[in-house]
């Protein structure tokens, strides 16, 4: 039995490095892609994971496959395609350590995952199935992702969804909103950013927007990451904010994925039954996830920055 299987993009993040000569930009190659980041966080926290997606049959793709293997993330669902190169993302970081992305993906290998590539047995044996919206931007990956979600639901698995909305990758904003809301409708657990709440809901007020989403789609748990401020959460019975941790952030790339990996770890630890958790228990779970997200901002890159369980436990004890 696997803990989590994730479907979606696995790509190269080129992140800025401080080793450049004056007046020049230099980038270092880091493995990335939101679903893979989530799996890395979970793997570093001791969970059994496996990835479903496509990379190019090129040097970047080989590097990414080896990265997953080194992290003990299963690769039986990883497709190496010669039809397109591995997708690349150049990350730009401002003075507040916030990042923006420029993608090379026209098409990228991650969009070429096909329905026939989806391993029903692999998804069926996972306790949680996780996906995002980047694999929903273009066919054939859109149909493949929908098939994977359907398999998970048919096997009565928990489904988690993080839109990870990147406007530049969608041909049409209205289509993006419609498809992302459809993804939310399929998920038990949803994680959003504040910007995604504004984009998707009739109101930008997090409290009202999450109430609307839950009424509309019946999710068990909605999480809205608030950066350094922490996380807003809503279940059918409880809502509130769990404060974040103060750290010296150097790169926020993958911080939301680290947080979500930490939260899925906590859900797995309590045998997934979110509805029966008390408010205190929920907030303790989210505090752990906040710690994972905070620690991930103290190093550059996404996958390389994910903390171990020992690091998280030490950090949360020190922050009491």
């Amino acid at each position: 039995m696997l803990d989590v299987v994730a479907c979606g993009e696995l790509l190269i993040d080129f992140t800025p490095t401080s080793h450049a000569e004056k007046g020049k930009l230099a980038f270092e190659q880091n493995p990335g892609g939101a679903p893979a980041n989530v799996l890395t966080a979970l793997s570093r926290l001791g969970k059994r994971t496996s990835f479903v997606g496509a990379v190019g049959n090129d040097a970047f793709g080989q590097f990414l496959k080896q990265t997953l293997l080194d992290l003990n993330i299963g690769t039986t669902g990883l497709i190496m395609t010669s039809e397109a190169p591995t997708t690349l993302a150049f990350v730009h970081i401002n003075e507040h350590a916030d990042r923006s992305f420029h993608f090379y993906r026209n098409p990228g290998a991650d969009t070429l995952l096909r329905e026939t590539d989806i391993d029903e047995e692999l998804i069926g044996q996972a306790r949680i199935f996780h996906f995002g919206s980047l694999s929903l931007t273009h066919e054939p990956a859109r149909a493949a992702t929908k098939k994977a979600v359907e398999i998970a639901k048919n096997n009565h698995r928990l489904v988690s969804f993080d839109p990870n909305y990147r406007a530049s990758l969608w041909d049409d904003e209205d289509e993006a909103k419609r498809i992302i809301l459809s993804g939310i409708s399929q998920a038990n657990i949803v994680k959003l950013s504040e910007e995604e709440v504004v984009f998707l809901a009739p109101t930008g007020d997090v409290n009202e927007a999450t109430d609307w989403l839950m009424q509309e789609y019946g999710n068990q748990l909605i999480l809205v990451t608030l950066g350094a401020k922490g996380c807003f959460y809503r279940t059918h019975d409880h809502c509130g904010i769990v404060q974040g941790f103060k750290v010296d952030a150097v790169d926020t790339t993958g911080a939301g994925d680290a947080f979500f990996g930490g939260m899925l770890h906590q859900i797995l630890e309590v045998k997934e039954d979110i509805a029966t958790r008390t408010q205190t228990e929920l907030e303790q779970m989210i505090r752990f996830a906040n710690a994972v997200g905070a620690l991930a901002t103290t190093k550059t890159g996404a996958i390389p920055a994910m903390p171990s369980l020992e690091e998280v436990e030490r950090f949360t004890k020190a922050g009491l």
Side-chain angles (χ1 to χ4, degrees):
M1 191 79 173
L2 288 165
D3 291 308
V4 182
V5 168
C7 177
E9 74 279 5
L10 177 61
L11 47 78
I12 300 290
D13 282 334
F14 280 106
T15 46
T17 171
S18 57
H19 306 308
E21 295 175 31
K22 191 174 181 181
K24 293 183 179 178
L25 271 177
F27 294 87
E28 63 182 14
Q29 169 184 305
N30 280 307
N37 295 343
V38 170
L39 291 186
T40 300
L42 283 156
S43 182
R44 294 276 287 151
L45 295 170
K47 298 304 180 188
R48 293 188 64 218
T49 64
S50 196
F51 179 79
V52 176
V55 295
N57 191 15
D58 51 28
F60 290 132
Q62 295 292 344
F63 165 74
L64 290 170
K65 181 177 183 180
Q66 189 57 51
T67 298
L68 295 185
L69 291 170
D70 291 346
L71 291 163
N72 294 317
I73 296 171
T75 59
T76 56
L78 180 66
I79 304 301
M80 311 286 289
T81 178
S82 299
E83 293 180 50
T86 299
T87 300
L88 309 178
F90 281 83
V91 184
H92 300 275
I93 302 171
N94 67 17
E95 64 273 17
H96 305 295
D98 292 324
R99 74 282 181 273
S100 58
F101 296 87
H102 187 92
F103 291 88
Y104 286 81
R105 186 199 198 215
N106 191 31
D110 69 291
T111 67
L112 299 181
L113 185 72
R114 290 176 164 79
E115 287 185 72
T116 51
D117 298 325
I118 302 299
D119 183 338
E120 188 164 346
E121 189 179 342
L122 178 69
I123 293 167
Q125 65 177 296
R127 293 168 66 191
I128 297 175
F129 174 77
H130 175 70
F131 73 115
S133 77
L134 264 69
S135 59
L136 297 171
T137 61
H138 296 85
E139 296 291 3
R142 181 183 295 173
T145 304
K146 288 180 177 178
K147 179 182 177 181
V149 173
E150 186 180 324
I151 292 166
K153 290 181 78 67
N154 287 344
N155 282 275
H156 308 290
R157 302 309 182 194
L158 267 184
V159 175
S160 63
F161 178 62
D162 176 3
N164 195 36
Y165 176 59
R166 301 284 179 260
S168 64
L169 295 180
W170 291 87
D171 296 328
D172 178 82
E173 192 176 273
D174 290 334
E175 181 188 47
K177 185 181 292 189
R178 177 179 61 79
I179 290 174
I180 290 171
L181 287 173
S182 176
I184 289 174
S185 76
Q186 298 296 302
N188 306 105
I189 307 150
V190 178
K191 184 196 80 69
L192 302 164
S193 67
E194 288 179 278
E195 296 79 12
E196 286 162 349
V197 167
V198 171
F199 175 60
L200 295 167
T203 170
D205 180 89
V206 169
N207 187 35
E208 293 176 11
T210 53
D211 183 51
W212 175 80
L213 285 167
M214 191 160 280
Q215 296 289 336
E216 201 78 12
Y217 302 113
N219 316 102
Q220 291 180 26
L221 172 65
I222 299 175
L223 303 155
V224 182
T225 50
L226 308 173
K229 293 179 288 182
C231 172
F232 180 91
Y233 68 93
R234 179 179 291 283
T235 66
H236 291 292
D237 299 319
H238 309 294
C239 69
I241 291 178
V242 179
Q243 296 298 317
F245 291 84
K246 284 189 169 68
V247 293
D248 294 323
V250 296
D251 181 5
T252 59
T253 307
D257 303 323
F259 165 86
F260 208 8
M263 194 64 204
L264 294 180
H265 170 272
Q266 290 294 284
I267 289 166
L268 289 160
E269 288 291 288
V270 298
K271 305 296 182 256
E272 310 148 43
D273 197 354
I274 302 160
T276 61
R277 299 298 105 192
T278 66
Q279 188 155 16
T280 300
E281 288 170 331
L282 270 172
E283 294 192 353
Q284 286 172 343
M285 293 163 70
I286 294 167
R287 186 174 183 273
F288 177 93
N290 281 346
V292 181
L295 283 169
T297 70
T298 62
K299 300 175 186 175
T300 56
I303 283 175
M306 298 298 172
S308 67
L309 184 58
E310 293 73 25
E311 288 173 309
V312 178
E313 289 174 343
R314 193 162 58 242
F315 178 72
T316 51
K317 281 175 187 170
L320 284 174

